[in-house]
Amino acid sequence: EIVMTQSPATLSVSPGERATLSCRASQSVSSNLAWYQQKPGQAPRLLIYGASTRATGIPARFSGSGSGTEFTLTISSLQSEDFAVYHCQQYHNWPQTFGQGTKVEIK
Amino acid sequence: QITLKESGPTLVKPTQTLTLTCTFSGFSLGDTGVGVGWIRQPPGKALEWLTLIYWDDDKRYSPSLESRLTLTKDTSKNQVVLSMTNMDPVDTGTYYCAHFVTMTILGEGYFDPWGQGTLVTVSS
C-alpha cells in the first residue's frame, strides 16, 4: 500500500498570503494524484487531478505541481473561503490512499 | 449536474451489519467508464477509501476491509448499496459515496463530486 504523507499538519497563513502544501508518496505515483478541499461539516471537493489539472470551476489561484513522489499544492493568495483542510489522494496503485490532511488556518 | 446522497442508519450496535444506500442523479452506472465509490472518515481523522463499483459491475475493495464489505448496484434505480458486517466502534465516522472518474488503465481515478456524507455511530 502506498502511504501518502502531508506536511505540515497545520499551516497558519494570513489572508492574501501564499500557502504551500506538500504531499509525499512512499513510492512513485507518476502524476496520478488528486487534491481535495474540505470545509468543516462538508464533503471533500475536488481541486486538482493529474497532479496539476484544475477541476472545473476551481479558481486559478489554486495550482498543483510535482510528479513521482513529491507534490505541492499552492494557493497563491489566500481568500477567506480557502481556510479548510486539504487532502491528497494517489490513484496509481490499488488501494487508492489519502494523506492525513493539512489544515490551513487563519494566522 | 451530478448529485449523490447517502442514506441509512445513524446508529448501529457492535457486531451488526451496516447497510448504506447511495442514490445519485446526473449520470448512469450503465455508462462506460463510470463508477461509484465509498470513502469514510472517522471524526477528526483522515479519509479512507473503502470500495468501488464500475459500470460493468467490476468491483474493488480495500484489502483491510474486503472480508466485511459487499457492494451492489441497481442501475434502474440509480443506486449503489454498501454493506459492512461485524461493525465495531472504530468504524464510527462519516461515510461518503462519490462519483468516480477512471483515469488509468488499471481503472484507478479520482472522486468528483461527493455526496454530503452520513454520520454512522457504532455503539451499544
Side-chain angles (χ1 to χ4, degrees):
Chain A
E1 173 175 315
I2 297 176
V3 176
M4 306 301 291
T5 303
Q6 292 186 241
S7 61
T10 303
L11 185 62
S12 298
V13 186
S14 299
E17 289 188 339
R18 183 186 201 88
T20 302
L21 289 67
S22 294
C23 176
R24 174 177 292 178
S26 60
Q27 63 189 76
S28 178
V29 299
S30 186
S31 294
N32 297 316
L33 185 108
W35 289 94
Y36 301 88
Q37 176 194 65
Q38 186 177 28
K39 297 180 181 179
Q42 296 186 18
R45 175 178 71 144
L46 178 71
L47 296 176
I48 302 282
Y49 62 91
S52 61
T53 302
R54 276 190 302 277
T56 302
I58 301 303
R61 64 180 180 272
F62 291 92
S63 62
S65 63
S67 66
T69 62
E70 301 283 345
F71 300 88
T72 300
L73 175 69
T74 302
I75 312 171
S76 59
S77 176
L78 271 160
Q79 306 298 302
S80 56
E81 62 266 30
D82 300 335
F83 292 95
V85 176
Y86 293 83
H87 308 271
C88 61
Q89 174 223 342
Q90 67 82 16
Y91 51 89
H92 188 69
N93 278 354
W94 295 104
Q96 300 176 112
T97 46
F98 291 88
Q100 79 278 23
T102 289
K103 180 180 181 180
V104 177
E105 64 176 23
I106 300 175
K107 186 174 181 180
Chain B
Q1 180 193 7
I2 293 175
T3 64
L4 307 98
K5 188 173 184 179
E6 307 84 355
S7 59
T10 58
L11 179 66
V12 297
K13 290 181 168 49
T15 75
Q16 286 187 336
T17 294
L18 171 69
T19 300
L20 294 175
T21 299
C22 176
T23 303
F24 54 86
S25 63
F27 69 97
S28 170
L29 257 181
D31 294 341
T32 301
V34 172
V36 171
W38 286 90
I39 306 99
R40 72 178 178 180
Q41 185 174 36
K45 296 189 177 180
L47 297 164
E48 179 185 15
W49 171 73
L50 301 179
T51 181
L52 172 68
I53 189 165
Y54 294 95
W55 79 99
D56 59 359
D57 210 35
D58 191 15
K59 298 160 194 175
R60 294 283 187 273
Y61 294 101
S62 170
S64 63
L65 293 167
E66 184 167 8
S67 62
R68 300 173 52 204
L69 297 175
T70 302
L71 194 58
T72 60
K73 66 179 176 72
D74 187 329
T75 304
S76 64
K77 291 184 178 179
N78 281 351
Q79 290 183 332
V80 170
V81 177
L82 170 71
S83 294
M84 179 180 289
T85 61
N86 195 25
M87 293 292 285
D88 183 272
V90 300
D91 296 313
T92 293
T94 299
Y95 287 71
Y96 298 99
C97 65
H99 173 257
F100 180 76
V101 179
T102 303
M103 290 294 290
T104 74
I105 59 172
L106 295 180
E108 295 157 306
Y110 56 82
F111 300 99
D112 179 46
W114 297 48
Q116 64 188 27
T118 185
L119 176 62
V120 177
T121 301
V122 184
S123 174
S124 54

